[in-house]
């Protein structure tokens, strides 16, 4: 047995790529090329394959670590035979017993210099990426060095015969089980013929496309020079920079081999939902094999990434569902037809932010899955407002500002703890309810790039001042795009306050898997009959939407009535 280190290979120059997923554990027996971790740079995500086979004895990285080429990922104990084989394989690095403890950066460099190149990254290609017949201006574009000798699949054709392409434009998208990559055109020209189709298996050197190129008589046109390897990661990065929207849409090709007619007739609809998907190539490939539409799968990985287990859970759930429920969840819903608005006048097209698209997908999912009911009531916040005004000076002294929102959120937490069903979630396809003892509340924040929902943790344990500061801090972070994934997770309930904007009422959409949401509209002074006369009272319109599979009218009514009472008599807030 020999101990081996496995290090981060050439990842296309990405520095400090973040570990977003660990795919193996200590004790796992791994094969050569098996994916070990998923790294994400600001441009691309990639699965890092093992350059060693054997048993994982130690994992040296954790989710969230920032890694660069040469950093040690893990240790593998290999049987002697396997290690010999591995020594000949790319990325192999000897680490005889005892040497590990004294490993230095220079040793790691030496290891890297000698042999470490993993298959996510191709070294400089000496193979031609295109060729031309002598005297001809037809160029055949070949598959460049893609970092693997094996076959990869053509998953998308980006051009059609007759298209004019610029140098660097994507011609096709290839996908192995480790990465997906766009193959750029080596020349500017016109597409004369396409030699592959969706699903074709190709390898390095396979012809892809014939281009007619003006003024080219070269016999051979070589691939990018050694200083700029055509690595998978680089290809993805370059394209992500050039065409972010296209790259996102490309991530999300239709997963079913035989998509439903409605999907076929409305590709734009598919790519809109698809753009929100965050998933690695291996899982995407598996999804395609299962015929799973990834837009329906909830990601449990970091930043909502869909991991293999999510796919397994989804498939087993769907298999367990009666057929009628499958239909009821939305497949077969006719899509809104696309309209060419330019027929009617001048238009301007603007790509939506990622947040906007994720919100759109989440809203559709909630709207289609959750039977909504909305109840309305008005809270008399005359005393609360007088109290709040009386605290203005103190707020200034504290360098703070007190809006009605912290009072509303605090009162909501108390009302939720008294009505725990409103902060529960459905489990096992409706077989059980999960009750939560904690009380983390999401707060919708309107930002220039879209709606985000940071979460205030343990609201029931915090004072109004603490909540006020935290709300302001989270709202500022949201607006500056500084929220971390952890800041947006774990809510049991959401409050959406449009009080500073206006409006008399609205019906918010439940943020599933939560089961209820409170909409807060603008308070105004109203004449209210007190039994003897009309009195001027400050009334706050509230709307409570809930999932009627979990919360019935009685539950909703009791919660809202209690909330209104708490807001009307703020002395009660002090008692909790
Ligand atoms: N009625 C009347 N006035 C209200 C109010 C209400 N319900 N709520 C807040 N206000 C007033 C405050 O009194 C304050 O005015 P003064 O300074 O004169 O006292 C002002 O609005 C404060 O507004 P704010 O935005 O600075 O702070 P906030 O605490 O009220 O709200 C936040 C914070 C993050 C909830 C808010 O900024 C926000 O983003 N709201 C939009 C949320 C949203 O988009 N929801 C829709 C989701 S569904 O599409």
């Amino acid at each position: 047995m020999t101990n081996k280190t496995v290090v981060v290979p050439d990842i296309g120059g990405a520095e400090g790529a973040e570990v977003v997923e660990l795919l193996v554990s200590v004790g796992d027996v791994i094969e050569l090329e098996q994916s070990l971790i998923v790294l994400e740079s600001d441009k691309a995500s990639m699965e890092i394959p093992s350059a060693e086979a054997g048993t994982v004895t130690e994992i040296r990285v954790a989710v969230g670590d920032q890694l660069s080429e040469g950093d040690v990922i893990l240790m593998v104990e290999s049987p002697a035979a396997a290690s010999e084989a591995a020594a000949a394989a790319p990325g192999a690095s000897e680490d005889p017993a005892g040497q590990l403890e004294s490993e230095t950066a220079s040793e790691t460099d030496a290891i890297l210099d000698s042999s470490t190149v993993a298959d996510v990254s191709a070294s400089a290609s000496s193979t031609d990426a295109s060729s031309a017949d002598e005297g001809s201006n037809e160029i055949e574009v070949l598959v460049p060095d893609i970092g693997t000798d094996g076959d990869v699949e053509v998953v998308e054709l980006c051009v059609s015969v007759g298209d004019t392409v610029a140098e660097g434009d994507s011609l096709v998208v290839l996908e192995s089980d480790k990465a997906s990559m766009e193959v750029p055109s080596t020349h500017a020209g016109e597409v004369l013929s396409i030699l592959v189709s969706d699903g074709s298996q190709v390898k390095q050197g396979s012809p892809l496309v014939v281009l007619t190129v003006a003024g080219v008589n070269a016999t051979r046109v070589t691939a990018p020079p050694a200083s700029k390897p055509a690595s998978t990661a680089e290809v993805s990065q370059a394209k992500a920079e050039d065409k972010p929207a296209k790259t996102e849409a490309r991530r999300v090709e239709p997963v079913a081999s035989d998509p439903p007619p409605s999907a076929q007739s409305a590709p734009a609809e598919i790519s809109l939902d698809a753009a929100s998907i965050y998933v690695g190539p291996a899982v995407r490939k598996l999804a395609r094999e299962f015929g799973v539409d990834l837009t329906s799968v909830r990601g449990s990985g970091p930043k909502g990434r869909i991991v293999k287990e999510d796919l397994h859970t989804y498939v087993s759930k769907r298999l367990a569902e009666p057929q009628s429920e499958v239909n009821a969840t939305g497949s077969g819903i006719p899509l809104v037809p696309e309209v060419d608005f330019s027929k009617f006048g001048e238009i301007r097209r603007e790509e939506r932010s990622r947040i906007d698209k994720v919100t759109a997908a989440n809203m559709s999912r909630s709207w289609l899955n959750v039977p909504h009911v909305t109840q309305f009531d008005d809270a008399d916040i005359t005393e609360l407002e007088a109290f709040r005004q009386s605290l203005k000076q103190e707020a200034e002294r504290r360098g703070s500002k007190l809006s009605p929102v912290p009072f509303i959120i605090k009162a909501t937490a108390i009302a939720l703890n008294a009505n725990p069903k409103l902060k529960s979630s459905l489990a096992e396809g409706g077989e059980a309810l999960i009750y939560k003892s904690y009380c983390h509340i999401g707060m919708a924040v309107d930002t220039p790039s879209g709606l985000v929902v940071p979460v205030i943790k343990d609201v029931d344990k915090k004072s109004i001042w603490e909540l006020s500061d935290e709300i302001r801090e989270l709202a500022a972070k949201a607006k500056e795009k500084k929220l971390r994934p952890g800041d947006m997770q774990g809510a049991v309930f959401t409050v959406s306050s449009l009080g500073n904007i206006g409006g008399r009422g609205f019906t918010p959409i439940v943020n599933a898997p939560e089961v209820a949401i409170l909409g807060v509209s603008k308070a105004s002074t109203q004449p209210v009959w007190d039994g003897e006369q009309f009195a001027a009272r400050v009334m706050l319109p509230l709307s409570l939407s809930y999932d009627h599979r979990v919360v019935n009218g009685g539950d909703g009514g009791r919660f809202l009535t209690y909330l209104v009472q708490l807001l009307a008599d703020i002395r009660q807030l002090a008692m909790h």
Side-chain angles (χ1 to χ4, degrees):
M1 291 284 185
T2 322
N3 252 333
K4 304 270 193 174
T5 49
V6 179
V7 301
V8 177
D10 174 1
I11 48 176
E15 286 291 318
E18 186 180 338
V19 179
V20 294
E21 202 178 331
L22 298 177
L23 303 172
V24 293
S25 312
V26 170
D28 283 1
V29 177
I30 56 169
E31 294 168 7
L32 264 179
E33 309 285 320
Q34 182 172 336
S35 296
L36 302 175
I37 56 173
V38 180
L39 287 184
E40 186 181 271
S41 71
D42 54 347
K43 305 288 189 312
S45 73
M46 52 213 127
E47 294 185 12
I48 302 298
S50 180
E52 299 290 346
T55 306
V56 178
T57 54
E58 188 186 347
I59 295 181
R60 297 262 187 104
V61 296
V63 169
D65 284 0
Q66 312 274 326
L67 302 185
S68 301
E69 181 180 339
D71 287 344
V72 177
I73 302 172
L74 49 74
M75 307 300 302
V76 171
E77 195 174 64
S78 310
S83 58
E84 271 161 33
S93 52
E94 280 295 336
D95 186 22
Q99 194 179 325
L100 273 175
E101 300 308 317
S102 62
E103 186 179 86
T104 63
S106 60
E107 280 170 321
T108 311
D109 288 348
I111 289 165
L112 268 176
D113 286 343
S114 60
S115 59
T116 304
V117 181
D119 76 349
V120 289
S121 153
S123 59
S125 171
S126 59
T127 309
D128 293 346
S130 57
S131 64
D133 292 338
E134 184 136 24
S136 153
N137 67 348
E138 287 174 16
I139 297 278
E140 206 173 57
V141 181
L142 313 180
V143 176
D145 181 353
I146 45 176
T148 172
D149 293 334
D151 284 350
V152 294
E153 190 177 334
V154 176
V155 294
E156 191 183 325
L157 300 176
C158 310
V159 291
S160 311
V161 171
D163 281 0
T164 303
V165 293
E167 185 183 336
D169 278 359
S170 295
L171 298 176
V172 300
V173 180
L174 304 178
E175 189 175 276
S176 70
D177 57 349
K178 304 288 188 302
S180 59
M181 62 214 97
E182 295 180 18
V183 177
S185 179
T186 49
H187 291 78
E190 190 182 320
V191 179
L192 189 65
S193 60
I194 298 173
L195 309 171
V196 290
S197 54
D198 263 4
S200 297
Q201 298 290 325
V202 294
K203 53 166 61 167
Q204 182 178 337
S206 302
L208 294 171
V209 165
V210 179
L211 298 177
T212 317
V213 179
V216 170
N217 287 315
T219 52
R220 299 297 272 178
V221 184
T222 53
S227 59
K228 195 169 189 309
S231 75
T232 304
E234 275 189 344
V235 171
S236 304
Q237 282 174 5
K239 299 321 289 178
E241 261 165 25
D242 293 345
K243 297 178 186 171
K246 184 167 181 195
T247 305
E248 279 190 11
R250 192 250 310 148
R251 271 189 193 160
V252 208
E253 67 287 327
V255 288
S257 53
D258 187 12
S262 55
Q264 279 171 339
S265 61
E269 183 76 13
I270 290 170
S271 61
L272 178 85
D273 276 354
S276 65
I277 296 177
Y278 180 29
V279 60
V283 177
R284 198 164 53 241
K285 187 160 183 257
L286 195 60
R288 206 168 38 245
E289 283 162 14
F290 284 152
V292 169
D293 177 356
L294 281 170
T295 56
S296 314
V297 181
R298 190 181 178 81
S300 66
K303 301 181 191 165
R305 183 185 176 83
I306 300 174
V307 295
K308 216 195 274 178
E309 288 68 34
D310 298 327
L311 210 55
H312 288 157
T313 311
Y314 177 82
V315 170
S316 25
K317 258 194 190 161
R318 294 302 297 259
L319 287 175
E321 275 173 1
Q323 197 53 37
S324 59
E325 276 183 42
V326 174
N327 293 335
T329 54
S331 61
I333 292 179
L335 296 170
V336 178
E338 292 234 16
V339 173
D340 176 9
F341 299 104
S342 64
K343 284 193 301 197
F344 310 113
E346 196 182 325
I347 59 166
R348 183 175 64 86
R349 182 188 158 93
E350 188 178 292
E351 297 307 322
R352 301 181 72 187
S353 70
R354 184 173 153 72
I355 292 177
D356 260 354
K357 289 187 283 191
V358 170
T359 303
N362 289 344
M363 290 298 152
S364 300
R365 192 165 53 196
S366 285
W367 184 254
L368 291 171
N369 280 295
V370 175
H372 280 73
V373 171
T374 307
Q375 276 181 217
F376 302 89
D377 208 343
D378 291 334
D380 183 339
I381 59 164
T382 314
E383 284 176 25
L384 188 156
E385 275 300 274
F387 181 56
R388 188 175 72 87
Q389 297 298 339
S390 75
L391 291 171
K392 272 208 159 159
Q393 274 187 342
E394 170 148 15
E396 267 171 38
R397 196 174 50 77
R398 288 168 169 262
S400 184
K401 197 169 163 260
L402 204 53
S403 88
V405 173
F407 292 92
I408 295 166
I409 287 192
K410 176 78 179 184
T412 300
I414 297 166
L416 283 173
N417 282 346
N419 296 272
K421 208 189 245 188
L422 275 284
K423 58 171 186 165
S424 70
S425 283
L426 272 176
E428 292 152 34
E431 293 297 309
L433 279 186
I434 307 288
Y435 282 94
K436 301 148 201 166
S437 308
Y438 52 89
C439 198
H440 309 332
I441 294 182
M443 177 190 63
V445 178
D446 183 31
T447 78
S449 38
L451 179 71
V452 283
V453 186
V455 176
I456 308 160
K457 306 275 160 55
D458 296 317
V459 172
D460 49 343
K461 299 190 173 82
K462 290 178 178 160
S463 72
I464 301 281
W465 287 117
E466 284 172 319
L467 291 172
S468 173
D469 290 344
E470 198 168 330
I471 288 166
R472 280 154 41 85
E473 199 179 302
L474 285 172
K477 270 191 184 175
K479 284 168 186 163
E480 291 160 20
K481 295 189 186 168
K482 288 196 177 142
L483 289 173
R484 288 162 305 153
D487 292 330
M488 292 180 278
Q489 289 166 357
V492 298
F493 183 93
T494 296
V495 172
S496 175
S497 170
L498 289 175
N500 62 333
I501 298 172
R504 297 181 57 193
F506 63 107
T507 55
I509 297 178
V510 171
N511 195 6
E514 295 161 30
V515 296
I517 179 169
L518 182 74
V520 181
S521 295
K522 190 175 182 66
S524 61
T525 304
Q526 302 284 331
V528 177
W529 186 252
D530 67 6
E532 290 175 4
Q533 57 184 347
F534 281 104
R537 309 295 295 177
V538 183
M539 303 303 288
L540 176 71
L542 300 174
S543 45
L544 174 76
S545 294
Y546 50 81
D547 182 339
H548 209 357
R549 294 172 302 174
V550 177
V551 178
N552 60 35
D555 301 322
R558 275 186 290 276
F559 170 84
L560 196 54
T561 304
Y562 186 38
L563 179 62
V564 163
Q565 279 171 11
L566 288 166
L567 290 169
D569 183 2
I570 44 163
R571 292 169 306 178
Q572 291 192 50
L573 295 187
M575 307 306 292
H576 295 271

